[in-house]
Coordinates of all heavy atoms in Angstrom, one line a residue:
M1 N 119.6 214.7 24.0 CA 120.7 215.4 24.8 C 120.0 216.3 25.9 O 118.9 216.8 25.7 CB 121.4 216.4 23.9 CG 122.3 215.8 22.9 SD 123.7 215.0 23.9 CE 124.8 214.7 22.6
I2 N 120.7 216.3 27.0 CA 120.2 217.1 28.2 C 121.0 218.4 28.2 O 122.2 218.4 27.9 CB 120.4 216.3 29.5 CG1 119.6 215.0 29.3 CG2 120.0 217.1 30.7 CD1 120.0 214.0 30.5
V3 N 120.4 219.5 28.6 CA 121.0 220.8 28.7 C 121.4 221.0 30.2 O 120.7 220.8 31.1 CB 120.1 221.9 28.1 CG1 120.9 223.3 28.2 CG2 119.7 221.6 26.7
F4 N 122.6 221.6 30.3 CA 123.1 221.8 31.6 C 123.7 223.3 31.7 O 124.3 223.7 30.8 CB 124.3 220.9 32.0 CG 123.9 219.4 32.1 CD1 124.0 218.6 30.9 CD2 123.5 218.9 33.2 CE1 123.6 217.3 31.0 CE2 123.2 217.5 33.3 CZ 123.2 216.8 32.2
V5 N 123.5 223.9 32.8 CA 124.2 225.2 33.1 C 125.3 224.8 34.3 O 125.0 224.2 35.3 CB 123.3 226.2 33.7 CG1 124.1 227.5 34.1 CG2 122.2 226.5 32.8
L6 N 126.5 225.0 33.9 CA 127.7 224.9 34.7 C 128.1 226.2 35.3 O 128.5 227.1 34.5 CB 128.8 224.1 34.0 CG 128.5 223.0 33.1 CD1 129.8 222.4 32.4 CD2 127.8 221.9 33.9
E7 N 128.1 226.4 36.6 CA 128.5 227.6 37.2 C 129.7 227.4 38.0 O 129.8 226.5 38.9 CB 127.4 228.2 38.1 CG 127.8 229.5 38.7 CD 126.7 230.1 39.6 OE1 125.7 229.5 39.8 OE2 126.9 231.2 40.2
L8 N 130.8 228.1 37.6 CA 132.1 227.9 38.3 C 132.2 229.1 39.3 O 131.8 230.2 39.0 CB 133.3 228.1 37.3 CG 133.5 227.0 36.3 CD1 132.5 227.1 35.1 CD2 134.9 227.1 35.7
T9 N 132.7 228.8 40.5 CA 133.0 229.8 41.5 C 134.4 229.6 41.9 O 134.8 228.5 42.3 CB 132.1 229.7 42.7 OG1 130.7 229.8 42.3 CG2 132.4 230.8 43.7
Y10 N 135.3 230.7 41.7 CA 136.6 230.7 42.1 C 136.8 230.4 43.6 O 136.2 231.1 44.3 CB 137.4 231.8 41.7 CG 137.4 232.0 40.2 CD1 137.4 233.3 39.6 CD2 137.4 231.0 39.3 CE1 137.4 233.5 38.2 CE2 137.4 231.2 37.9 CZ 137.4 232.4 37.4 OH 137.4 232.7 36.0
T11 N 137.8 229.6 43.9 CA 138.0 229.4 45.4 C 139.5 229.7 45.7 O 139.9 229.4 46.8 CB 137.8 227.9 45.7 OG1 138.6 227.1 44.9 CG2 136.3 227.4 45.5
A12 N 140.1 230.4 44.8 CA 141.6 230.8 45.0 C 141.7 232.2 44.4 O 140.8 232.6 43.6 CB 142.5 229.8 44.2
P13 N 142.8 232.8 44.8 CA 143.0 234.2 44.2 C 143.2 234.2 42.8 O 143.5 233.2 42.1 CB 144.4 234.6 44.9 CG 144.5 233.7 46.2 CD 143.8 232.4 45.8
L14 N 142.8 235.4 42.2 CA 142.8 235.4 40.7 C 144.1 235.1 40.0 O 144.2 234.6 38.9 CB 142.3 236.8 40.2 CG 140.9 237.1 40.3 CD1 140.5 238.5 39.9 CD2 140.1 236.0 39.4
D15 N 145.3 235.4 40.7 CA 146.5 235.1 40.1 C 146.8 233.6 39.9 O 147.3 233.1 38.9 CB 147.7 235.7 40.9 CG 147.8 235.2 42.3 OD1 146.7 234.9 42.9 OD2 148.9 235.3 42.9
A16 N 146.2 232.8 40.9 CA 146.2 231.3 40.7 C 145.3 230.9 39.6 O 145.7 230.0 38.8 CB 145.8 230.7 42.0
V17 N 144.2 231.5 39.4 CA 143.2 231.2 38.3 C 143.9 231.6 37.0 O 143.9 230.8 36.1 CB 142.0 231.9 38.5 CG1 141.0 231.8 37.3 CG2 141.2 231.4 39.8
D18 N 144.4 232.8 36.9 CA 145.1 233.2 35.7 C 146.3 232.4 35.3 O 146.5 232.3 34.1 CB 145.5 234.7 35.9 CG 144.3 235.7 35.8 OD1 143.2 235.3 35.4 OD2 144.5 236.8 36.3
A19 N 147.0 231.8 36.2 CA 148.1 230.9 35.9 C 147.6 229.7 35.2 O 148.4 229.2 34.3 CB 148.8 230.5 37.1
L20 N 146.4 229.3 35.3 CA 145.9 228.2 34.7 C 145.0 228.5 33.5 O 144.5 227.5 32.8 CB 145.1 227.3 35.7 CG 145.8 226.8 36.9 CD1 144.9 226.3 38.0 CD2 146.6 225.6 36.5
L21 N 144.8 229.7 33.2 CA 143.8 230.1 32.2 C 144.2 229.5 30.8 O 143.3 229.1 30.1 CB 143.8 231.7 32.1 CG 142.6 232.2 31.3 CD1 141.3 231.7 31.8 CD2 142.6 233.7 31.4
P22 N 145.5 229.5 30.3 CA 145.7 229.0 29.0 C 145.3 227.5 28.9 O 144.7 227.1 27.9 CB 147.3 229.1 28.8 CG 147.6 230.3 29.8 CD 146.7 230.2 30.9
D23 N 145.5 226.7 30.0 CA 145.1 225.3 30.0 C 143.6 225.2 30.0 O 143.0 224.3 29.3 CB 145.8 224.5 31.2 CG 147.3 224.4 31.0 OD1 147.8 224.5 29.8 OD2 147.9 224.2 32.0
H24 N 143.0 226.0 30.8 CA 141.5 226.0 30.9 C 140.9 226.4 29.5 O 140.0 225.7 29.1 CB 141.0 227.0 32.0 CG 139.6 227.1 32.0 ND1 138.7 226.2 32.6 CD2 138.8 228.2 31.7 CE1 137.5 226.6 32.6 NE2 137.4 227.8 32.0
L25 N 141.4 227.4 28.8 CA 140.9 227.7 27.5 C 141.1 226.5 26.5 O 140.2 226.3 25.6 CB 141.6 229.0 27.0 CG 141.2 230.3 27.9 CD1 142.1 231.4 27.3 CD2 139.8 230.6 27.8
A26 N 142.3 225.8 26.6 CA 142.4 224.7 25.7 C 141.4 223.6 26.0 O 140.9 223.1 25.1 CB 143.9 224.2 25.8
W27 N 141.1 223.4 27.3 CA 140.1 222.4 27.7 C 138.7 222.9 27.1 O 138.0 222.0 26.6 CB 140.1 222.3 29.2 CG 138.9 221.6 29.7 CD1 138.9 220.2 29.9 CD2 137.8 222.0 30.4 NE1 137.7 219.8 30.5 CE2 137.0 221.0 30.8 CE3 137.4 223.4 30.5 CZ2 135.8 221.2 31.4 CZ3 136.1 223.5 31.1 CH2 135.4 222.4 31.6
L28 N 138.5 224.1 27.2 CA 137.2 224.7 26.7 C 137.1 224.4 25.1 O 136.1 223.9 24.7 CB 137.0 226.2 26.9 CG 136.7 226.7 28.4 CD1 136.9 228.2 28.5 CD2 135.3 226.3 28.8
D29 N 138.2 224.7 24.5 CA 138.1 224.6 23.0 C 137.9 223.0 22.7 O 137.2 222.8 21.7 CB 139.5 225.0 22.4 CG 139.7 226.5 22.4 OD1 138.7 227.2 22.5 OD2 140.9 226.9 22.3
E30 N 138.5 222.2 23.4 CA 138.3 220.7 23.2 C 136.8 220.3 23.3 O 136.2 219.6 22.5 CB 139.1 219.9 24.2 CG 138.9 218.5 24.1 CD 139.7 217.6 25.1 OE1 140.7 218.1 25.6 OE2 139.3 216.5 25.5
Q31 N 136.1 220.9 24.3 CA 134.7 220.6 24.5 C 133.8 221.3 23.5 O 132.8 220.7 23.1 CB 134.3 221.1 25.9 CG 135.1 220.5 27.1 CD 135.3 219.0 26.9 OE1 134.4 218.3 26.6 NE2 136.5 218.6 27.1
Y32 N 134.2 222.4 22.9 CA 133.4 223.0 21.8 C 133.6 222.1 20.6 O 132.7 221.9 19.9 CB 133.9 224.4 21.5 CG 133.4 225.5 22.4 CD1 134.1 226.0 23.5 CD2 132.0 225.9 22.3 CE1 133.5 227.1 24.3 CE2 131.4 226.8 23.1 CZ 132.2 227.4 24.1 OH 131.6 228.3 24.9
T33 N 134.8 221.7 20.3 CA 135.1 220.8 19.2 C 134.3 219.5 19.3 O 133.8 219.0 18.2 CB 136.6 220.4 19.1 OG1 137.3 221.7 19.0 CG2 136.9 219.5 18.0
Q34 N 134.1 219.0 20.4 CA 133.3 217.8 20.6 C 131.8 218.0 20.6 O 131.0 217.1 20.7 CB 133.7 217.1 21.9 CG 135.1 216.5 21.8 CD 135.6 215.8 23.1 OE1 134.7 215.5 24.0 NE2 136.9 215.6 23.3
G35 N 131.4 219.3 20.6 CA 130.0 219.6 20.5 C 129.3 219.6 21.9 O 128.0 219.6 22.0
V36 N 130.1 219.6 23.0 CA 129.5 219.5 24.3 C 129.2 221.0 24.8 O 128.1 221.2 25.4 CB 130.5 218.9 25.4 CG1 129.9 218.9 26.8 CG2 130.8 217.4 24.9
F37 N 130.0 221.9 24.6 CA 129.7 223.3 25.1 C 129.1 224.1 24.1 O 129.6 224.0 22.8 CB 131.1 224.0 25.5 CG 131.6 223.4 26.8 CD1 132.8 223.7 27.3 CD2 130.9 222.3 27.6 CE1 133.4 223.2 28.5 CE2 131.4 221.9 28.8 CZ 132.7 222.3 29.2
L38 N 128.1 224.9 24.4 CA 127.4 225.8 23.4 C 127.8 227.2 23.7 O 127.7 228.0 22.7 CB 125.9 225.6 23.6 CG 125.3 224.2 23.5 CD1 123.9 224.2 23.7 CD2 125.7 223.7 22.1
A39 N 128.1 227.6 24.9 CA 128.4 229.0 25.2 C 129.3 229.0 26.6 O 129.0 228.1 27.4 CB 127.3 229.9 25.3
S40 N 130.1 230.0 26.8 CA 130.8 230.1 28.0 C 131.4 231.5 28.2 O 131.4 232.2 27.2 CB 132.0 229.1 28.1 OG 133.0 229.4 27.0
G41 N 131.7 231.8 29.4 CA 132.2 233.1 29.7 C 132.4 233.4 31.1 O 131.9 232.7 32.0
R42 N 133.2 234.5 31.5 CA 133.4 234.8 32.9 C 132.3 235.6 33.4 O 131.5 236.3 32.7 CB 134.7 235.5 33.1 CG 134.9 236.8 32.5 CD 136.1 237.5 32.7 NE 137.3 236.8 32.3 CZ 138.5 237.3 32.1 NH1 138.6 238.7 32.3 NH2 139.5 236.6 31.8
K43 N 132.0 235.5 34.7 CA 131.0 236.3 35.4 C 131.6 237.8 35.4 O 132.7 238.0 35.4 CB 130.8 235.9 36.8 CG 130.1 234.5 36.9 CD 129.9 234.1 38.3 CE 129.6 232.7 38.6 NZ 129.6 232.3 40.1
T44 N 130.6 238.7 35.4 CA 131.0 240.1 35.3 C 131.9 240.6 36.6 O 132.8 241.3 36.4 CB 129.8 241.0 35.3 OG1 128.6 240.3 34.8 CG2 130.0 242.2 34.5
L45 N 131.6 240.0 37.7 CA 132.4 240.3 38.9 C 133.7 239.6 39.0 O 134.6 239.8 39.8 CB 131.6 240.0 40.2 CG 130.4 240.9 40.3 CD1 129.6 240.5 41.6 CD2 130.7 242.3 40.5
R46 N 134.0 238.7 38.0 CA 135.2 237.9 37.8 C 135.5 237.1 39.1 O 136.6 237.0 39.6 CB 136.4 238.8 37.5 CG 137.7 238.0 37.3 CD 138.0 237.9 35.8 NE 138.9 236.8 35.5 CZ 140.2 236.9 35.5 NH1 140.8 238.0 35.8 NH2 140.9 235.8 35.2
D47 N 134.4 236.4 39.6 CA 134.5 235.5 40.6 C 134.2 234.1 40.2 O 134.0 233.2 41.0 CB 133.6 235.9 41.8 CG 132.1 235.9 41.4 OD1 131.8 235.8 40.3 OD2 131.3 236.1 42.4
G48 N 134.2 233.8 38.8 CA 133.9 232.5 38.3 C 133.4 232.7 36.9 O 133.7 233.7 36.2
G49 N 132.7 231.6 36.4 CA 132.2 231.7 35.1 C 130.9 230.8 34.9 O 130.5 230.2 35.8
V50 N 130.4 230.8 33.6 CA 129.2 230.0 33.3 C 129.5 229.4 32.0 O 130.0 229.9 31.1 CB 128.0 231.0 33.2 CG1 126.8 230.2 32.9 CG2 127.8 231.7 34.6
I51 N 129.0 228.1 31.9 CA 129.1 227.3 30.7 C 127.7 226.7 30.5 O 127.1 226.2 31.4 CB 130.2 226.2 30.8 CG1 131.5 226.7 31.2 CG2 130.2 225.3 29.6 CD1 132.6 225.7 31.6
L52 N 127.3 226.8 29.2 CA 126.1 226.1 28.8 C 126.5 224.9 28.0 O 127.3 225.0 27.1 CB 125.2 227.0 27.9 CG 123.9 226.5 27.4 CD1 123.0 226.1 28.6 CD2 123.2 227.5 26.5
A53 N 126.1 223.7 28.5 CA 126.6 222.4 27.9 C 125.4 221.5 27.6 O 124.3 221.7 28.1 CB 127.6 221.8 28.9
V54 N 125.7 220.5 26.7 CA 124.8 219.5 26.5 C 125.5 218.1 26.5 O 126.7 218.1 26.2 CB 124.1 219.6 25.1 CG1 123.2 220.8 25.0 CG2 125.1 219.7 23.9
A55 N 124.9 217.1 27.0 CA 125.4 215.8 27.1 C 124.3 214.7 27.3 O 123.1 215.1 27.5 CB 126.4 215.7 28.3
E56 N 124.6 213.5 27.2 CA 123.6 212.4 27.2 C 123.2 212.3 28.7 O 122.1 211.8 28.9 CB 124.1 211.1 26.7 CG 125.4 210.6 27.3 CD 126.6 211.2 26.6 OE1 126.6 212.0 25.8 OE2 127.7 210.7 27.1
D57 N 124.0 212.5 29.7 CA 123.6 212.4 31.0 C 124.6 213.2 32.0 O 125.6 213.7 31.6 CB 123.5 211.0 31.5 CG 124.8 210.2 31.3 OD1 125.9 210.8 31.4 OD2 124.8 209.0 31.0
R58 N 124.2 213.3 33.3 CA 125.0 214.0 34.2 C 126.3 213.4 34.5 O 127.3 214.1 34.7 CB 124.2 214.1 35.5 CG 125.0 214.6 36.8 CD 125.3 216.1 36.6 NE 126.2 216.5 37.7 CZ 125.8 217.1 38.8 NH1 124.5 217.5 38.9 NH2 126.6 217.6 39.7
A59 N 126.4 212.1 34.4 CA 127.7 211.4 34.6 C 128.8 211.9 33.5 O 129.9 212.1 33.9 CB 127.6 209.9 34.5
R60 N 128.3 212.1 32.3 CA 129.3 212.6 31.3 C 129.7 214.0 31.6 O 130.9 214.3 31.5 CB 128.5 212.6 29.9 CG 129.4 213.1 28.8 CD 130.5 212.1 28.4 NE 131.3 212.7 27.3 CZ 132.6 212.9 27.4 NH1 133.2 212.6 28.4 NH2 133.2 213.5 26.3
I61 N 128.8 214.8 32.1 CA 129.2 216.2 32.5 C 130.2 216.1 33.6 O 131.2 216.9 33.6 CB 128.0 217.0 32.8 CG1 127.1 217.3 31.6 CG2 128.3 218.3 33.6 CD1 127.8 218.2 30.6
D62 N 130.0 215.3 34.6 CA 130.9 215.1 35.7 C 132.3 214.7 35.2 O 133.4 215.1 35.7 CB 130.4 214.1 36.7 CG 129.2 214.7 37.5 OD1 129.0 216.0 37.5 OD2 128.4 213.9 38.1
E63 N 132.4 213.8 34.3 CA 133.7 213.4 33.7 C 134.4 214.5 33.1 O 135.6 214.7 33.2 CB 133.5 212.3 32.7 CG 133.0 211.0 33.2 CD 132.6 210.0 32.1 OE1 132.8 210.3 30.9 OE2 132.0 208.9 32.4
I64 N 133.6 215.3 32.3 CA 134.3 216.5 31.6 C 134.7 217.4 32.6 O 135.9 218.0 32.5 CB 133.2 217.1 30.7 CG1 132.9 216.1 29.5 CG2 133.7 218.5 30.1 CD1 131.7 216.4 28.7
I65 N 133.9 217.8 33.6 CA 134.3 218.8 34.7 C 135.6 218.3 35.4 O 136.4 219.1 35.7 CB 133.2 219.0 35.7 CG1 132.1 219.7 35.0 CG2 133.7 219.6 36.9 CD1 130.8 219.8 36.0
A66 N 135.7 217.0 35.6 CA 136.8 216.5 36.3 C 138.2 216.7 35.7 O 139.2 216.7 36.2 CB 136.7 215.0 36.7
R67 N 138.1 216.9 34.4 CA 139.3 217.1 33.6 C 139.6 218.6 33.3 O 140.6 219.0 32.7 CB 139.1 216.5 32.2 CG 139.2 215.0 32.3 CD 139.4 214.3 30.9 NE 138.5 214.8 29.9 CZ 137.3 214.2 29.6 NH1 136.9 213.2 30.2 NH2 136.6 214.8 28.5
D68 N 138.8 219.5 33.9 CA 139.1 221.0 33.7 C 140.3 221.2 34.5 O 140.3 220.9 35.8 CB 137.9 221.7 34.2 CG 138.1 223.3 34.3 OD1 139.1 223.7 33.8 OD2 137.2 224.0 34.7
P69 N 141.3 221.9 34.0 CA 142.5 222.3 34.8 C 142.2 223.1 36.0 O 142.8 223.0 37.1 CB 143.4 223.0 33.8 CG 143.0 222.5 32.5 CD 141.5 222.2 32.6
F70 N 141.1 223.9 36.0 CA 140.7 224.7 37.2 C 140.2 223.7 38.2 O 140.6 223.9 39.5 CB 139.6 225.6 36.8 CG 139.9 226.9 36.2 CD1 138.8 227.7 35.8 CD2 141.2 227.2 35.8 CE1 139.2 228.9 35.1 CE2 141.5 228.4 35.2 CZ 140.5 229.2 34.8
A71 N 139.5 222.7 37.9 CA 139.0 221.7 38.9 C 140.2 220.8 39.4 O 140.2 220.6 40.6 CB 137.9 220.9 38.3
V72 N 141.0 220.4 38.5 CA 142.1 219.6 38.9 C 143.0 220.3 39.9 O 143.4 219.7 40.9 CB 143.0 219.2 37.7 CG1 144.3 218.4 38.0 CG2 142.1 218.3 36.7
A73 N 143.2 221.5 39.7 CA 144.1 222.3 40.6 C 143.3 222.8 41.9 O 144.0 223.4 42.7 CB 144.7 223.5 39.9
G74 N 142.1 222.7 41.9 CA 141.2 223.1 43.0 C 141.0 224.6 43.2 O 140.9 225.0 44.3
V75 N 141.1 225.3 42.0 CA 140.9 226.8 42.1 C 139.5 227.2 41.9 O 139.1 228.4 41.9 CB 141.8 227.5 41.1 CG1 143.3 227.2 41.4 CG2 141.5 227.2 39.6
C76 N 138.5 226.3 41.7 CA 137.1 226.5 41.5 C 136.2 225.4 42.0 O 136.7 224.3 42.1 CB 136.8 226.9 40.0 SG 136.5 225.5 39.0
T77 N 135.0 225.6 42.2 CA 134.0 224.7 42.4 C 133.0 224.8 41.3 O 132.9 225.8 40.7 CB 133.3 224.8 43.8 OG1 132.7 226.1 43.9 CG2 134.3 224.6 44.9
Y78 N 132.2 223.7 41.1 CA 131.2 223.7 40.1 C 129.8 223.5 40.7 O 129.7 222.7 41.6 CB 131.4 222.6 39.1 CG 132.3 222.9 37.9 CD1 133.7 222.7 38.0 CD2 131.7 223.3 36.7 CE1 134.5 223.1 36.9 CE2 132.5 223.6 35.6 CZ 133.9 223.5 35.7 OH 134.7 223.8 34.7
R79 N 128.9 224.3 40.2 CA 127.5 223.9 40.5 C 126.8 223.6 39.2 O 126.9 224.3 38.2 CB 126.8 225.2 41.1 CG 125.3 225.0 41.3 CD 124.8 226.3 41.9 NE 123.3 226.1 42.1 CZ 122.4 227.0 41.9 NH1 122.8 228.3 41.7 NH2 121.2 226.8 42.0
V80 N 126.2 222.4 39.1 CA 125.6 221.9 37.8 C 124.1 221.9 38.0 O 123.6 221.3 38.9 CB 126.2 220.5 37.5 CG1 125.5 220.0 36.2 CG2 127.7 220.5 37.4
T81 N 123.5 222.6 37.0 CA 122.0 222.6 37.0 C 121.6 222.0 35.6 O 122.0 222.5 34.5 CB 121.5 224.0 37.1 OG1 122.0 224.6 38.3 CG2 120.0 224.0 37.1
E82 N 120.7 221.0 35.7 CA 120.1 220.3 34.5 C 118.7 221.0 34.4 O 118.0 221.2 35.3 CB 119.9 218.9 34.8 CG 119.3 218.1 33.7 CD 119.1 216.6 34.0 OE1 119.8 216.1 34.8 OE2 118.2 216.0 33.3
F83 N 118.4 221.3 33.1 CA 117.1 221.9 32.9 C 116.5 221.4 31.6 O 117.2 220.9 30.8 CB 117.1 223.4 33.0 CG 117.7 224.1 31.8 CD1 116.9 224.7 30.8 CD2 119.1 224.3 31.7 CE1 117.5 225.4 29.8 CE2 119.6 224.9 30.6 CZ 118.8 225.5 29.6
V84 N 115.2 221.5 31.5 CA 114.5 221.1 30.3 C 114.3 222.4 29.4 O 113.7 223.4 29.9 CB 113.1 220.5 30.7 CG1 112.3 220.2 29.4 CG2 113.3 219.3 31.6
A85 N 115.0 222.5 28.3 CA 114.9 223.6 27.4 C 113.7 223.5 26.6 O 113.7 222.9 25.5 CB 116.2 223.6 26.6
T86 N 112.6 224.0 27.0 CA 111.3 224.0 26.3 C 111.1 225.1 25.2 O 110.3 224.9 24.3 CB 110.1 224.0 27.2 OG1 110.2 225.2 28.1 CG2 110.0 222.8 28.2
K87 N 112.0 226.1 25.3 CA 112.0 227.1 24.3 C 113.5 227.4 24.0 O 114.3 227.5 24.9 CB 111.3 228.4 24.7 CG 109.8 228.2 24.9 CD 109.2 229.5 25.2 CE 108.9 230.5 24.1 NZ 107.9 230.1 23.1
T88 N 113.8 227.6 22.7 CA 115.2 227.9 22.3 C 115.2 228.8 21.2 O 114.2 229.0 20.5 CB 116.0 226.6 21.9 OG1 115.3 226.0 20.8 CG2 116.0 225.5 23.0
A89 N 116.4 229.4 20.9 CA 116.6 230.2 19.7 C 116.6 229.2 18.6 O 116.9 228.0 18.8 CB 117.9 230.9 19.8
P90 N 116.3 229.7 17.3 CA 116.2 228.7 16.2 C 117.5 227.9 16.0 O 117.4 226.7 15.7 CB 116.0 229.7 15.0 CG 115.3 230.8 15.6 CD 115.8 231.1 17.0
G91 N 118.7 228.5 16.3 CA 119.9 227.7 16.1 C 120.1 226.6 17.2 O 120.9 225.7 17.0
L92 N 119.3 226.6 18.2 CA 119.4 225.7 19.3 C 118.2 224.7 19.3 O 118.0 223.9 20.2 CB 119.6 226.3 20.6 CG 120.8 227.3 20.8 CD1 120.8 228.0 22.1 CD2 122.0 226.4 20.6
D93 N 117.4 224.7 18.3 CA 116.1 223.9 18.3 C 116.4 222.4 18.5 O 115.5 221.7 19.0 CB 115.2 224.2 17.1 CG 115.9 224.0 15.8 OD1 117.1 223.7 15.7 OD2 115.2 224.1 14.8
R94 N 117.5 221.9 18.1 CA 117.8 220.5 18.3 C 117.9 220.1 19.8 O 117.8 218.9 20.1 CB 118.9 220.0 17.5 CG 120.2 220.5 18.0 CD 121.4 220.0 17.2 NE 122.7 220.5 17.6 CZ 123.8 220.6 16.9 NH1 123.7 220.1 15.7 NH2 124.8 221.1 17.4
Y95 N 118.1 221.0 20.6 CA 118.1 220.9 22.1 C 116.9 221.1 22.8 O 116.8 220.8 24.0 CB 119.3 221.7 22.7 CG 120.6 221.5 22.1 CD1 121.1 222.5 21.3 CD2 121.2 220.3 22.1 CE1 122.4 222.3 20.6 CE2 122.5 220.1 21.4 CZ 123.0 221.1 20.7 OH 124.2 221.0 20.0
R96 N 115.9 221.5 22.1 CA 114.5 221.7 22.6 C 113.9 220.4 23.1 O 114.0 219.3 22.5 CB 113.6 222.4 21.6 CG 112.4 222.9 22.2 CD 111.6 223.7 21.1 NE 112.4 224.8 20.5 CZ 112.3 225.0 19.2 NH1 111.6 224.3 18.4 NH2 113.1 226.0 18.8
Q97 N 113.3 220.5 24.3 CA 112.7 219.3 24.9 C 111.2 219.4 25.3 O 110.8 220.6 25.5 CB 113.5 218.9 26.2 CG 114.9 218.6 26.0 CD 115.7 218.5 27.3 OE1 115.7 219.3 28.1 NE2 116.3 217.3 27.5
T98 N 110.5 218.4 25.3 CA 109.2 218.4 25.8 C 109.1 217.8 27.2 O 109.6 216.7 27.4 CB 108.3 217.5 24.9 OG1 108.4 218.0 23.5 CG2 106.8 217.6 25.3
P99 N 108.6 218.6 28.2 CA 108.5 218.0 29.6 C 107.8 216.7 29.6 O 106.7 216.6 28.9 CB 107.8 219.1 30.3 CG 107.8 220.3 29.5 CD 108.0 219.8 28.0
S100 N 108.2 215.8 30.4 CA 107.5 214.5 30.6 C 106.5 214.6 31.7 O 106.3 215.5 32.4 CB 108.4 213.4 30.9 OG 109.4 213.7 31.7

């Protein structure tokens, strides 16, 4: 599995984001159930959010992002960063990787 940091940046006023929040939270829950998302939350300035995710490849992450109600409605953009998790907390050791 590859580890990804998904950074969301809101592109619409907060009232438009908040209107979609229940659907976005349901989408998040679905990804947690499927084992794709490990952690998520809003940025402190409330201008977006961050998600820590795992998947077999970037294409899978792009498919998942495309179904986010925030993305569908165009109220945010995503920045996706893939990284090699060479050190992890004990509970995340199955995602630890050795650089090639």
